[in-house]
Amino acid sequence: MQYGVSGFLAPDGNFYECKYGEHRVLAVELVEKFNINTFDGDSNKVPDFIKFGFVPGVGKEGDPGSCHAFIWQEPTPQQLIWLHANLEHMTGVQQRSVLSWLDAYGIDV
């Protein structure tokens, strides 16, 4: 099994995958598709979306410098379903990040 997810998780629970280095292009496409007016161009902070990234080949544990998950707003119920179903596919670094974000929002897993 390969570990690590890369892309954006939409509020409706659909995951839009992209490869390392392609987040900015995908972010612009999603902003247009979902008609988001508050996007400031930072692909790490696409409103309503959860961003995942990793450098291929980092292995199951991952690397704190190259693996991440950014959850800037409380996840929707659909996003939570996806997170629970796909946690095992993430690197250890991504898993800990997701669990930390969920804890910050008072969401018990």
Side-chain angles (χ1 to χ4, degrees), residues 89-108:
H89 298 290
M90 298 176 198
T91 66
V93 171
Q94 288 175 320
Q95 290 173 353
R96 287 189 298 279
S97 181
V98 166
L99 294 174
S100 177
W101 282 104
L102 294 180
D103 184 60
Y105 289 112
I107 298 170
D108 187 24

Side-chain angles (χ1 to χ4, degrees), residues 21-88:
E22 296 178 356
H23 285 88
R24 189 168 312 278
V25 172
L26 180 56
V28 171
E29 291 174 11
L30 293 172
V31 165
E32 291 174 4
K33 177 178 181 168
F34 286 84
N35 199 24
I36 298 173
N37 298 319
T38 57
F39 180 60
D40 67 2
D42 182 351
S43 65
N44 287 325
K45 295 182 180 180
V46 179
D48 303 323
F49 285 77
I50 298 173
K51 182 194 180 214
F52 295 91
F54 78 103
V55 175
V58 294
K60 180 180 178 182
E61 182 53 34
D63 177 336
S66 61
C67 295
H68 59 268
F70 297 131
I71 306 175
W72 301 109
Q73 297 163 238
E74 186 170 340
T76 65
Q78 296 87 351
Q79 286 173 321
L80 287 173
I81 290 168
W82 188 94
L83 290 169
H84 285 284
N86 291 281
L87 197 63
E88 68 184 42

